């Protein structure tokens, strides 16, 4: 079925409805076997010895004692030739992209607390951990640096050869900012900071590896089995066809499970060495050190605005803290694209420190950039005496200024602002008395834009059985977001097959079709067009069969509710009545077409927050949030809302509670556990959350009109809360998170200043 002949959906009967997850029962009852639940006959357990120092060289490893421990079947170190695997520690093993190798699987040069030094496989997890403790390592500790500003000072201990600057500064420039600032009536400058946040998906990272001759099968918790397959094949020098990765269920990743981990390769090597299946899952404490994070940022932003609200210039100097290995953290995109602004100058640098590395984290870099930009917009609005919603409306972008001024396929930002403000009761809330204390109230607003990279290739297969039930075959990992449900709904929409009669095969490189990683908020827009095309191919075959059986021309037939109608409904043929379908199965194959090249696909959002702050204790409560999102068509209102609410709560974590704390005297993370690292609980979630979808009926982004919601859901939440905090207290908190301790300090400073 050619994509070009497919018309956008008009009214839909299934797509868009709030339908519970097709696998909801399995997931909540415990019947679903996640990778962490996999138990194979004869299975061993792996554990990893990690460097306890922020910076050290391994001088000697003695494994003799560990090898003699009860139950131990293998010990693996850098001395084993098969473990000498080059590693680009920023982003998994070297792949087709030609990633640079900066390290090894067990590199004797350890650049952060938690780097892999050795591994063990034993009959039980306890025996494996006992053996890990029995490995004797002689380290030569070295000077370290745990903060990005210190790292760039002369004489700071270098993390990588060549110093602590990660490559050359990145620069984006348009217009003339000096001219822009000269034309402005108000120019403001502020330095904003954000803290390092740690990925904390429900299922910890890990793999189960099993060899069958020269064939490797890995049950791995990840966001895209095909990427893991490719990473493993490269690391182990195997053909892709011999590596099977299965990720049917997975318990969350948020960006930290897009590539193979060292643990994946280590599990495979231990399994090979012992000729037994090996299960290697990290402990929660390990994941705090080594599976990734949203890096801290320092963002110096200068902005100019005219009295009428016209933005004249933005200038950003950004510094990101990438950790011990390189990966991109630039935050400037929104500053160049969310609002119409002729003069923009962005310079971003990144610094190495001796700590775990940055990794994609739900809208990588965007909440940080938004924290700066959207608080700045709030401050500009106040200075010129304009409502912050009005200031944003005044500067809606007409075209994508960051991509050759191409038009967007759709822009719902205006509606996010106006309809969101109406639904939130913005005007009334903004003018309501704030209270006489100690609890004071305020409301704030922030908007966002999100960019996905290329949505990639995607192939889907739909098979229709003779009884009218169907099989859907897709490669995508369902991160818990409801991907499988949405895809099944597309089949149900086109073929009228009830959801409970659709069997789904997904996320298995051995049996399902190639698709790109589930990430970048692009899973539904990458995969659902392929699924729809596959279903349409099946539908076309069914209509041909019906035309032959009824002896009527194809043009007289319509497909409705899983049956074929002829002569305006005078004749009706159920799928099961098709004689030629008996004794066979129809197979439809759908392939997604390319992204539009002449236009740019971008989701937009506006978040509104109401907070209550105790000016005596520094506590803050988020009373309510309204999130208005232009993410194109809503495919399933229930899972869409779930995404938005999850994103809001994650944004609360960014704004109020989450922060990696490094001890600069020991170089260790001091809060590497769920007690001291605070992810929001149900009690921290906003008292009331409202999701307001804005559907601009985009017919150009792709055949299904979807633009993506996963990451936009969290981007502007933090800044909206900070702006509400300012409205309530008159205090601008430039550093995230807004903890009670920080608020008390700021309140005390205000008092002393009078
Ligand atoms: Mo995402 S941070 O693209 O999984």
């Amino acid at each position: 079925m050619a994509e070009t002949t497919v018309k956008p959906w008009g009214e839909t009967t299934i797509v868009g409805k709030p339908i519970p997850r097709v696998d909801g029962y399995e997931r909540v009852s415990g019947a679903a076997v996640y990778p962490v639940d996999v138990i194979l006959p004869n299975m061993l357990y792996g554990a990893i010895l990690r460097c306890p120092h922020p910076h050290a060289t391994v001088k000697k490893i003695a494994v003799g004692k560990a090898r003699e421990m009860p139950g131990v079947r293998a010990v693996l170190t850098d001395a084993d030739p098969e473990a000498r695997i080059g590693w680009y520690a920023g982003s998994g093993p070297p792949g087709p992209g030609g990633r640079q190798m900066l390290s090894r699987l067990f590199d004797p040069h350890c650049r952060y607390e938690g780097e892999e030094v050795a591994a063990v496989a034993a009959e039980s997890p306890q025996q494996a951990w006992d053996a890990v403790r029995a490995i004797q390592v002689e380290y030569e500790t070295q000077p370290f640096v745990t903060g990005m500003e210190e790292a760039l000072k002369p004489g700071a201990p270098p993390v990588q050869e060549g110093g602590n600057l990660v490559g050359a500064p990145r620069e984006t420039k348009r217009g003339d900012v000096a001219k822009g600032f000269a034309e402005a009536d108000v120019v403001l400058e502020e330095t904003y900071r954000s803290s390092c946040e740690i990925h904390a998906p429900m299922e910890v990272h890990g793999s189960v590896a099993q060899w069958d001759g020269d064939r490797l099968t890995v049950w791995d918790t990840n966001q895209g089995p095909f990427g893991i397959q490719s990473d493993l094949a490269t690391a182990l020098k195997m053909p892709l066809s011999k590596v099977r990765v299965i990720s049917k269920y997975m318990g969350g990743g948020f960006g930290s499970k897009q590539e193979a981990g060292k643990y994946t390769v280590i599990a495979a090597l231990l399994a090979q060495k012992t000729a037994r299946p090996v299960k290697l899952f990290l402990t929660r404490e390990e994941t705090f050190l080594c599976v990734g994070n949203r890096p801290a940022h320092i963002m110096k932003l200068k902005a100019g605005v005219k009295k009428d609200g016209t933005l004249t210039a933005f200038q950003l100097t950004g510094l990101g803290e990438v950790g011990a290995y390189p990966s991109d953290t630039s935050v400037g995109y929104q500053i160049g694209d969310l609002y119409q602004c002729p003069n923009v100058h962005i310079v971003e640098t990144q610094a190495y420190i001796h700590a775990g590395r940055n990794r994609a984290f739900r809208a990588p870099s965007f909440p940080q950039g938004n924290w700066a930009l959207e608080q700045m917009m709030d401050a500009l609005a106040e200075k010129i005496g304009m409502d912050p919603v009005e200031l944003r409306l005044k500067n809606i972008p007409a075209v994508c200024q960051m991509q050759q001024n191409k038009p967007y396929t759709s822009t719902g930002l205006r509606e996010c602002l106006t309809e969101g403000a109406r639904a939130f009761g913005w005007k009334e809330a903004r003018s309501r008395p704030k209270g006489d204390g100690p609890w004071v109230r305020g409301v704030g607003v922030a908007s966002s834009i999100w960019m996905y990279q290329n949505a990639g290739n995607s192939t889907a297969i739909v098979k229709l059985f003779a009884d009218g039930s169907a099989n859907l075959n897709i490669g995508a990992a369902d991160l818990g977001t409801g991907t499988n449900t949405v895809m099944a709904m597309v089949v149900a929409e086109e073929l009228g097959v009830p959801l409970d009669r659709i069997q789904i095969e997904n996320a298995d490189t051995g049996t399902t079709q190639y698709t790109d990683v589930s990430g970048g908020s692009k899973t539904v827009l990458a995969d659902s067009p392929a699924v729809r095309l596959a279903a349409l191919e099946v539908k076309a075959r069914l209509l041909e069969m019906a035309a032959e059986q009824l002896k009527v021309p194809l043009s007289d037939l319509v497909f409705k509710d899983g049956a074929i109608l002829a002569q305006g409904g005078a004749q009706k043929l159920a799928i099961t009545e098709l004689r030629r379908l008996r004794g066979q199965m129809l197979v439809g194959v759908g392939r997604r077409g390319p992204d539009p090249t002449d236009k740019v696909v971008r989701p937009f959002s506006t978040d509104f927050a109401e907070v209550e702050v105790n000016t005596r204790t520094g506590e803050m409560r988020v009373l309510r949030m309204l999130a208005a999102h232009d993410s194109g068509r809503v495919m399933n209102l229930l899972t869409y809302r779930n995404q938005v609410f999850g994103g809001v709560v994650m944004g609360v974590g960014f704004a109020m509670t989450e922060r990696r704390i490094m001890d600069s005297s020991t170089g260790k993370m001091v809060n590497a556990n769920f007690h001291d690292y605070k992810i929001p609980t149900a009690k921290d979630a906003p008292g009331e959350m409202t999701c307001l979808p804005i559907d601009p009926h985009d017919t150009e982004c792709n055949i299904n009109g979807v633009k993506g919601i996963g990451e936009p859901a969290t981007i502007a939440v933090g800044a909206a809360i900070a702006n509400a905090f300012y409205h309530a207290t008159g205090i601008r908190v430039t550093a995230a998170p807004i903890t009670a301790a920080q608020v008390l300090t700021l309140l005390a400073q205000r008092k002393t200043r009078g």
Side-chain angles (χ1 to χ4, degrees), residues 96-294:
R99 297 170 189 157
Q100 193 190 354
M101 283 191 282
L102 288 173
S103 180
R104 293 211 287 273
L105 195 60
F106 299 111
D107 200 309
H109 186 175
C110 300
R111 295 178 172 92
Y112 63 89
E113 178 202 11
E115 282 228 83
E116 293 77 357
V117 171
V120 170
E123 298 287 344
S124 74
Q126 293 80 2
Q127 289 172 324
W129 280 109
D130 282 349
V132 160
R133 284 184 205 101
I135 297 173
Q136 292 152 312
V137 188
E138 195 186 302
Y139 294 101
E140 184 180 303
T141 59
Q142 290 172 35
F144 56 85
V145 60
T146 53
M148 57 185 142
E149 286 166 299
E150 296 73 47
L152 294 182
K153 286 186 182 145
V159 181
Q160 294 287 346
E161 263 176 60
N164 293 333
L165 257 189
V166 186
R170 296 246 211 127
E171 201 172 354
T172 306
K173 212 172 177 176
R174 73 166 174 262
D176 176 351
V177 285
K179 185 170 147 273
F181 289 129
E183 285 166 6
D185 294 311
V186 168
V187 175
L188 293 179
E189 190 171 336
E190 184 67 81
T191 300
Y192 302 90
R193 288 163 183 269
S194 69
S195 293
C196 173
E197 279 188 285
I198 302 291
H199 293 89
M202 217 157 2
E203 186 184 26
V204 289
H205 296 61
S207 316
V208 179
Q210 180 179 39
W211 291 85
D212 176 8
D214 64 351
R215 185 182 179 179
L216 172 64
T217 302
V218 175
W219 289 261
D220 183 84
T221 174
N222 67 70
Q223 299 175 226
F226 291 91
I228 309 301
Q229 175 197 35
S230 161
D231 287 344
L232 275 170
T234 309
L236 302 172
K237 298 192 172 53
M238 293 170 65
L240 289 171
S241 61
K242 299 281 186 183
V243 181
R244 180 177 177 193
V245 178
I246 303 171
S247 324
K248 183 170 166 55
Y249 293 97
M250 66 85 70
F254 304 108
S256 70
K257 292 180 181 170
Q258 297 198 13
E259 314 101 25
K262 281 191 176 178
Y263 51 82
T264 318
V265 176
I266 293 169
L269 291 174
L270 288 170
Q272 195 170 38
K273 206 171 173 120
T274 56
R276 308 253 305 257
V278 170
K279 180 173 193 168
L280 204 177
F281 271 78
L282 307 192
T283 61
R284 179 61 67 181
E285 288 72 18
E286 286 177 280
T287 67
F288 275 97
L289 301 176
C290 64
V291 300
N293 56 65
R294 183 192 295 290

Side-chain angles (χ1 to χ4, degrees), residues 199 223 253-258 359-364 450 479 517-521 711:
H199 293 89
Q223 299 175 226
F254 304 108
S256 70
K257 292 180 181 170
Q258 297 198 13
R359 215 167 181 183
F361 193 139
R362 200 173 193 170
W450 169 244
L479 311 186
V517 65
S518 294
S521 307
E711 290 161 303

